Every structure is written in structure tokens, then in C-alpha cells.
Amino acid sequence: MNTPAHLIFGMAAFAKPDAAKVTAAAIAGALIPDLSLYLMAGFHLFVLGTDPQVVFGELYFSDLWQTIFRIDNSFILWGIGLGLALACRSAWAIALCGAALLHIGLDFPLHHDDGRAHFWPITNWVFESPVSYWDRDHYAGIVGPIEIGLTLILSGALWRRFKGWIMRALIALLAVAEAVPVFVWMFMFDGGQ
């Protein structure tokens, strides 16, 4: 899924209007599994000027990048974190780990040939789903609109739940970020073909 959708889903599941720390943790947990990709890709694209085809066609699949993805996308590690958070009864830690697990759980069935080793450190196995959220050759034309629709529905629910203008601005920004650039991402990853 696209990162704005992960943020909306994580907020819908774990954010609480009366608990800013829990809400911030839910947002962070929903973002962390994608954060390394943004940092590494952003550095290459905007600082080094690396061609997007190299970033997403070569570097993404490199041993170094995949090692980092194994860590921040591990069901095992985040599951241990959630277990500890539950044992400590820490609402913010439950929101953090829960939102990260939700992110990973939603990504797991939606990556065809660009999935991650979600069960590291037990195994480096990567599930190759027949379905992709971005690859038109693997049903993105169906998955994408469903993702956008669900994100917009959840955005509406969040809008009703949160009354403050800062949260409402964030919700609106994420909804727009999810709905508008889907075609840009498809162009970048698919080369516009």
C-alpha cells in the first residue's frame, strides 16, 4: 500500500483524540516500516541524483537495502515489541507496534516481486503475491481503487473523530496524498508503460 494509506489505516486503528502520545505513536508505527525506503531513496534521488530506475530497479533489491527492510518490516520483531508493550500495558507502545504490524500485514499480500522478508530473523523468505498495489500487471487496476476508496472512508471517519484543526489538516493532507499521486507512483515504478 501507499504510505499515506498506511498512516490513515494506522490512525484509524490506534489513534485516540484524547491521547496525543498514543496518536503520535500510531502515526510513527504506521510510518516506520517505510521510513528507511524514503530516507535511502530520497538521498539517492535528491542528493546524489541517482536515476529512479536505478533506485527502484537495482538499489531497492540490493543486499544492503533488503537487510534494512528485513529489520523494519519483520513480523517477528514488531510482534515481540507488541508482546512487551502489552505486558507493560503501555498504550503508546501498543499503538506504535500495533500500527507497524498493521502496516506490514497490509503490505504482505500486496507486493508481487518487491516484497520483503517479513519473517526475519527466522527466515529470509519473501512472499511473492499474485496481487500488487502498484503493478498493473498484477491487478493494481483493481487493488488501487479499493485502497483509495477504503482510505477515503477511513479519512472521513477520522475527520469525525478528531475535532482539532491540526489533525484534520493532517487527515486531509494524507487523503489527498493517497488519492492524487497513485498515477505518479505507477509511472515511476512502471516506467510509464
Side-chain angles (χ1 to χ4, degrees):
M1 289 176 59
N2 290 301
T3 304
H6 283 301
L7 292 168
I8 291 292
F9 275 69
M11 289 168 57
F14 296 100
K16 295 183 178 180
D18 57 344
K21 190 174 181 180
V22 171
T23 297
I27 293 167
L31 177 63
I32 289 170
D34 280 349
L35 187 58
S36 62
L37 173 61
Y38 279 101
L39 294 174
M40 294 184 301
F43 179 75
H44 273 275
L45 292 168
F46 302 114
V47 176
L48 299 179
T50 308
D51 184 272
Q53 296 297 333
V54 172
V55 171
F56 296 109
E58 296 174 25
L59 294 173
Y60 180 93
F61 297 100
S62 70
D63 288 340
L64 174 62
W65 285 33
Q66 289 300 312
T67 297
I68 294 167
F69 298 154
R70 284 181 192 104
I71 296 167
D72 59 17
N73 281 263
S74 171
F75 280 123
I76 308 303
L77 297 181
W78 283 110
I80 291 168
L82 181 59
L84 292 172
L86 289 166
C88 294
R89 298 180 184 192
S90 171
W92 73 265
I94 291 168
L96 177 82
C97 296
L101 282 166
L102 179 61
H103 177 135
I104 297 165
L106 291 168
D107 266 354
F108 184 76
L110 298 176
H111 284 268
H112 172 66
D113 60 357
D114 61 339
R116 298 177 178 179
H118 291 296
F119 297 98
W120 184 87
I122 294 173
T123 179
N124 287 327
W125 174 75
V126 175
F127 175 60
E128 289 191 21
S129 175
V131 178
S132 171
Y133 78 95
W134 67 268
D135 187 343
R136 287 178 279 178
D137 292 334
H138 297 282
Y139 309 104
I142 297 169
V143 174
I146 292 170
E147 176 185 325
I148 292 169
L150 291 173
T151 300
L152 294 177
I153 289 168
L154 290 175
S155 295
L158 284 167
W159 185 272
R160 292 181 58 157
R161 189 186 316 167
F162 287 90
K163 304 300 183 197
W165 70 269
I166 293 174
M167 283 302 294
R168 283 188 165 182
L170 176 62
I171 293 162
L173 178 67
L174 290 171
V176 168
E178 171 64 18
V180 173
V182 167
F183 302 105
V184 173
W185 281 107
M186 291 173 77
F187 179 79
M188 283 181 64
F189 285 118
D190 198 27
Q193 299 173 353

